[in-house]
Amino acid sequence: MRYTRDVPRHLVSIADLDAAEIVRILDHADRFWALADAPVKKLDTLRGRTVINLFFESSTRTRTSFELAAKRLSAEAINVAGSSSSTTKGETLRDTGRNLMAMHPDAIVIRHSYGGAAALLASVVDCAVINAGDGQHEHPTQALLDAATIRRHKGRVDGLEVAIVGDIAHSRVARSNALCLAKLGARVRICAPWTLIPRGIELIGGELTRERVRVTTRLEDGLDGADVVMMLRVQHERFEGEASRFPNTRELSRTFGLSERTLGYAKPDAIVMHPGPINRGVELAPQVADGARAVILSQVSWGVAVRMAVLERAILGAPA
Ligand code: ASP
């Protein structure tokens, strides 16, 4: 394959990509999709390259799929967990970055509780930096894999009605998805109680999201005629020091949870998505999570293909 280097090396935010760039990444990921079913899953495009996964927050799917993606392209993948890194001894992220850079990696994939961590790291290292989730700011590869999943199951993203329901206030997934889906021509309904909706969320992408993103506090209204329903977990770990935002989980589940009954508000062929981890029986009834309309495991599979594309693009460039 031939590559062109005319693409940015870092992937910090969906805000940095236009629609054409997003489609280019999704098309790039399509090339890797079939590999999952092949008996031999390895290509050698990143042979001899090094990818460091620097994760300061917990992760199952994202960390595993970045590691798998790197290995399937024959790169060396090294995992550094924040809890076992020298930051626990007081080292700054800047210094950690400079020290890792002294070992000459080709890319660093970072997850951090500080919104802005990926941008900060990108400003101090010479290799590519990929944001695997920075606080409540963005999770760009999640939005890309979600767009790839929607494209696969619905044939397009343009013109679809997508409901994002749950704890929007603490969700980097909601932010990246609202931006990405609006750029790709979908209409997005943000649906939650007021206390879980950040003020001005519909303006995160300026005029574009003002037109395409709408906020509602009624589940029935948010789901009415939706093609895609994306459910989010309450991110209790980000509530520290905050006043209570809802009376209790049971109450939230009753008013904003997705059950077979409330899924009835959406289109009959609507698909159900969730970035994981699911809190079964809270935002999502087990029958829906395991039902025929859920594409949650397909999201996980796309995660590997999309992250292969993102790594290859960061290190080698986009397919010419
Ligand atoms: N896995 C996603 C994230 O890292 C969503 C979540 O944790 O609820 O943001």
Side-chain angles (χ1 to χ4, degrees):
M1 189 158 33
R2 285 181 44 247
Y3 300 91
T4 150
R5 287 250 177 214
D6 70 338
V7 290
R9 267 188 325 156
H10 305 308
L11 176 58
V12 169
S13 160
I14 292 290
D16 302 333
L17 303 172
D18 62 19
E21 283 297 333
I22 295 171
V23 170
R24 217 165 159 201
I25 297 173
L26 300 184
D27 290 347
H28 192 165
D30 278 348
R31 298 176 178 225
F32 298 124
W33 175 250
L35 208 64
D37 289 326
V40 177
K41 299 179 172 46
K42 226 166 169 150
L43 300 174
D44 66 358
T45 55
L46 294 185
R47 187 197 303 277
R49 307 297 185 130
T50 311
V51 176
I52 298 180
N53 288 323
L54 181 59
F55 275 59
F56 293 94
E57 278 191 334
S58 357
S59 172
T60 304
R61 281 151 290 269
T62 308
R63 202 194 56 70
T64 312
S65 64
F66 265 114
E67 184 177 349
L68 258 185
K71 289 186 165 155
R72 287 198 179 157
L73 294 170
S74 301
E76 304 291 336
I78 288 148
N79 297 316
V80 184
S83 54
S84 59
S85 78
S86 286
T87 45
T88 59
K89 300 180 185 169
E91 188 173 63
T92 63
L93 181 58
R94 268 198 186 81
D95 280 335
T96 303
R98 287 199 190 100
N99 280 271
L100 291 177
M101 198 57 226
M103 298 179 224
H104 305 288
D106 295 278
I108 302 178
V109 178
I110 179 170
R111 167 167 288 193
H112 201 288
S113 59
Y114 162 58
L120 188 141
L121 186 66
S123 72
V124 298
V125 298
D126 287 331
C127 66
V129 171
I130 295 160
N131 184 2
D134 60 334
Q136 299 169 30
H137 173 228
E138 277 227 37
H139 194 350
T141 57
Q142 178 72 46
L144 292 169
L145 73 88
D146 287 342
T149 307
I150 295 173
R151 216 165 69 142
R152 169 55 54 114
H153 288 273
K154 291 274 153 203
R156 66 194 165 105
V157 177
D158 184 33
L160 294 182
E161 295 284 341
V162 182
I164 307 181
V165 184
D167 179 5
I168 311 294
H170 301 93
S171 176
R172 51 197 177 205
V173 174
R175 277 177 192 70
S176 288
N177 260 304
L179 272 175
C180 185
L181 292 165
K183 285 181 185 217
L184 294 177
R187 293 198 174 274
V188 179
R189 302 101 175 260
I190 295 287
C191 181
W194 278 120
T195 46
L196 289 175
I197 300 180
R199 228 179 151 141
I201 178 81
E202 65 277 33
L203 301 176
I204 50 166
E207 214 29 61
L208 177 78
T209 48
R210 185 205 292 273
E211 266 179 26
R212 297 190 170 274
V213 177
R214 131 176 119 72
V215 169
T216 173
T217 54
R218 283 187 58 233
L219 185 64
E220 183 174 348
D221 182 36
L223 298 187
D224 182 34
D227 298 287
V228 177
V229 182
M230 197 179 282
M231 298 303 296
L232 301 175
R233 152 188 92 89
V234 175
Q235 308 212 355
H236 289 287
E237 72 275 24
R238 302 199 197 283
F239 276 58
E240 209 179 304
E242 286 187 5
S244 187
R245 294 201 186 218
F246 49 89
N248 59 52
T249 314
R250 234 182 51 221
E251 172 80 16
L252 187 72
S253 172
R254 205 176 50 75
T255 43
F256 284 91
L258 193 68
S259 60
E260 282 177 322
R261 182 185 67 79
T262 54
L263 182 55
Y265 299 135
K267 286 205 181 127
D269 62 347
I271 54 170
V272 175
M273 303 177 72
H274 195 301
I278 298 173
N279 283 172
R280 277 176 181 266
V282 181
E283 71 276 11
L284 203 50
Q287 301 88 313
V288 180
D290 303 326
R293 288 155 75 179
V295 296
I296 297 165
L297 294 178
S298 173
Q299 289 172 264
V300 179
S301 302
W302 273 106
V304 179
V306 163
R307 287 168 179 138
M308 287 172 81
V310 164
L311 285 175
E312 208 177 68
R313 173 187 162 98
I315 297 172
L316 300 177

